[in-house]
Amino acid sequence: METELFTPAVIWFLVGTALLLLELAIPGLIIVFFGAGAWITAACLLLFDLNFNSQLLIFLLTSLGSLFTLRHSIRKKYMDFSVEGADPQNNAFIGSKAISLTEISPEKDGKVEFNGSQWEASTNSLIKANTNVRIIGMKSIKLIVEPFNQ
């Protein structure tokens, strides 16, 4: 009896693996849910004989459902943190000086340059472009800054 190597379940599994690896290259905690949806679809194919439309429906429902229900709580628990007052060994950014590249306000995030790299930044006050700022925290990969008072 000959078995086919690339069955729909294997293809969905490989798509899921590729999406999970892509999440490592493009972090944002979105693509991982589509990878999980592809894996769930692969598991369903091992249990049931599904046509392509059913496969797509399962993929979309599980991907989008998990994205909208789990992303916020996972991001809040594992990715969002404020490190103001943290041990300096854990975060060398706190208290460091950076330069705003764009205007930053509480309503609109902007960009700052720190250690030769551009970072997204947010603030609780108005900061004009080309102003020295002090890093007071981080939220995921976004710096939280305030005007630098010498």
Side-chain angles (χ1 to χ4, degrees), residues 98-113:
I99 298 173
S100 64
L101 299 173
T102 62
E103 184 174 283
I104 311 168
S105 69
E107 297 83 32
K108 185 173 183 264
D109 292 344
K111 299 257 185 211
V112 297
E113 182 177 318

Side-chain angles (χ1 to χ4, degrees), residues 93-98 114 133-137 143-146:
F93 292 4
I94 304 304
S96 297
K97 186 169 119 177
F114 175 66
V133 295
R134 183 173 75 98
I135 301 169
I136 61 170
L143 301 177
I144 303 167
V145 298
E146 67 181 9

Side-chain angles (χ1 to χ4, degrees), residues 12-114:
W12 279 109
F13 181 81
L14 293 174
V15 167
T17 302
L19 289 170
L20 292 173
L21 291 173
L22 188 60
E23 178 69 37
L24 296 174
I26 308 171
L29 198 63
I30 293 176
I31 300 171
V32 68
F33 293 105
F34 290 92
W39 277 2
I40 291 169
T41 304
C44 288
L45 279 169
L46 293 175
L47 300 173
F48 308 105
D49 185 26
L50 302 169
N51 62 28
F52 186 68
N53 289 338
S54 298
Q55 294 172 36
L56 282 179
L57 184 63
I58 291 170
F59 171 69
L60 288 174
L61 288 177
T62 57
S63 298
L64 295 175
S66 61
L67 173 67
F68 291 125
T69 58
L70 299 175
R71 182 175 187 259
H72 179 71
S73 60
I74 290 173
R75 187 176 182 99
K76 186 174 183 178
K77 184 171 183 175
Y78 294 108
M79 295 180 72
D80 287 350
F81 58 95
S82 177
V83 289
E84 186 172 24
D87 181 7
Q89 291 179 339
N90 292 337
N91 197 330
F93 292 4
I94 304 304
S96 297
K97 186 169 119 177
I99 298 173
S100 64
L101 299 173
T102 62
E103 184 174 283
I104 311 168
S105 69
E107 297 83 32
K108 185 173 183 264
D109 292 344
K111 299 257 185 211
V112 297
E113 182 177 318
F114 175 66

